Amino acid sequence: MADDTPMVFIVGVLGNIASFICFLAPLPTFYRVCKKKTTEGFQSLPYVAALFSAMLWIFYAYIKTGEILLITINAFGCFIETIYLVIYITYCPKKARIFTLKMIFLFNFGVIFLVILLTHVLAKERTARIELLGWICVVLSTSVFAAPLSIIKVVIRTKSVEFMPFTLSLLLTISAIMWLSYGILLKDIYVTLPNIVGITFGTIQMVLYAIYRKNTPVKDQKQPENITDENVNTTVSGGNQGANTGFVDIEIGEKKQTEKKQEQGVNARDQIENNTKTREGI
């Protein structure tokens, strides 16, 4: 087994625990969705990407063989992300449901099948397959780590950390540190590289929190449109070998736009009723 030494096993278990907690971070969001029976406009793409990433790392661990700790956490990731997506599809609007199903079939079926096909066609030997698949995982995980850039931009612009919980940033950083250590101990560059990026972004987030934590929220013109306390969802998915893959899902203001349309409809109806009453009076 790749993780048969005590130190590697302990670090891997700690990584599993940290990632397990990160995977459960969106539970309050989905509890609210079930309770209100509406997705309130937040996006499904982070959960689709997390499921895709977890599936890809399971395939990597299977090809490499002996990576039980990578398989366990990402198997749980597949399970919990599937539940999240089922809940989302159940309560989201029709347009969002169609988009989500398209993304699921595209990434979690189409791209996964393509990756499996390429690794067997382009790489005949097991070592070559591990290398090819490993770099695919690195590219995917590194690009996913860029997701927090949006929330970092919001924090710097507003000089407020109301959209960036410290506990979440800390958990993500700890998770990345655990999996970085695991990759170093195994001398696995494909596990190591993405978590260097993860630690970097996690550290930046915590530094920003330390700088702006005492500031009161700034409601200025430069703040991104439609960003409020209600329509900012910070969701976490540990798709990177069960490690730190933080998705900051900022809602596009769909809920606000819907409310505005409803308000306009009510105003229009009231105006029609008033006109009718006026005509009746005449």
Side-chain angles (χ1 to χ4, degrees):
M1 288 179 60
D3 47 30
D4 55 355
T5 64
M7 182 58 70
V8 173
F9 180 76
I10 291 171
V11 173
V13 170
L14 291 174
N16 269 250
I17 293 171
S19 297
F20 179 81
I21 296 172
C22 290
F23 271 125
L24 296 179
L27 279 178
T29 297
F30 284 94
Y31 173 76
R32 189 173 73 248
V33 168
C34 293
K35 189 175 181 180
K36 294 185 176 181
K37 300 186 185 306
T38 174
T39 55
E40 300 180 321
F42 76 84
Q43 308 300 303
S44 63
L45 198 55
Y47 307 99
V48 176
L51 178 60
F52 171 64
S53 184
M55 292 172 67
L56 200 57
W57 280 107
I58 287 177
F59 182 50
Y60 170 80
Y62 169 75
I63 292 294
K64 190 176 180 181
T65 69
E67 295 288 355
I68 301 300
L69 293 174
L70 290 184
I71 292 176
T72 53
I73 188 59
N74 284 292
F76 175 74
C78 289
F79 171 74
I80 195 68
E81 297 298 335
T82 300
I83 292 177
Y84 291 154
L85 285 169
V86 168
I87 295 174
Y88 182 88
I89 291 171
T90 302
Y91 294 111
C92 70
K94 183 178 179 180
K95 186 176 180 180
R97 183 180 299 114
I98 294 173
F99 173 79
T100 301
L101 290 173
K102 285 181 179 178
M103 290 298 100
I104 290 173
F105 280 104
L106 175 63
F107 286 101
N108 304 115
F109 289 97
V111 178
I112 287 291
F113 175 77
L114 182 62
V115 169
I116 294 173
L117 183 65
L118 287 175
T119 52
H120 282 81
V121 172
L122 299 180
K124 300 298 182 181
E125 298 180 0
R126 177 173 165 272
T127 304
R129 287 177 182 174
I130 293 173
E131 185 176 349
L132 175 61
L133 184 57
W135 282 113
I136 292 174
C137 291
V138 167
V139 172
L140 170 71
S141 300
T142 303
S143 61
V144 166
F145 271 124
L149 285 174
S150 58
I151 197 65
I152 290 173
K153 183 178 178 181
V154 172
V155 171
I156 294 174
R157 178 175 294 177
T158 62
K159 294 180 171 47
S160 169
V161 293
E162 60 177 327
F163 307 128
M164 189 180 67
F166 176 79
T167 304
L168 192 55
S169 299
L170 178 62
L171 281 172
L172 291 170
T173 306
I174 292 174
S175 179
I177 291 172
M178 291 296 102
W179 288 108
L180 173 66
S181 303
Y182 184 78
I184 291 174
L185 289 171
L186 284 180
K187 297 180 181 179
D188 190 329
I189 190 174
Y190 311 117
V191 174
T192 303
L193 284 179
N195 288 290
I196 294 175
V197 180
I199 292 172
T200 302
F201 281 120
T203 302
I204 292 173
Q205 289 183 32
M206 289 190 291
V207 169
L208 288 175
Y209 188 92
I211 294 173
Y212 297 120
R213 65 188 176 86
K214 293 184 179 180
N215 289 14
T216 54
V218 177
K219 307 291 184 183
D220 64 349
Q221 307 171 27
K222 296 182 181 179
Q223 187 169 337
E225 186 179 1
N226 292 334
I227 293 183
T228 65
D229 289 336
E230 291 184 356
N231 57 15
V232 174
N233 274 313
T234 303
T235 61
V236 181
S237 306
N240 174 20
Q241 67 275 358
N244 167 24
T245 305
F247 294 101
V248 180
D249 180 18
I250 302 178
E251 295 177 12
I252 309 302
E254 180 179 319
K255 179 182 177 183
K256 193 170 182 179
Q257 292 175 353
T258 303
E259 291 176 349
K260 186 175 181 181
K261 289 179 181 179
Q262 290 175 346
E263 184 180 348
Q264 290 174 344
V266 172
N267 292 338
R269 187 170 63 250
D270 291 342
Q271 185 176 357
I272 292 172
E273 290 176 357
N274 289 336
N275 290 340
T276 302
K277 290 178 181 179
T278 302
R279 287 197 297 269
E280 288 175 352
I282 295 173

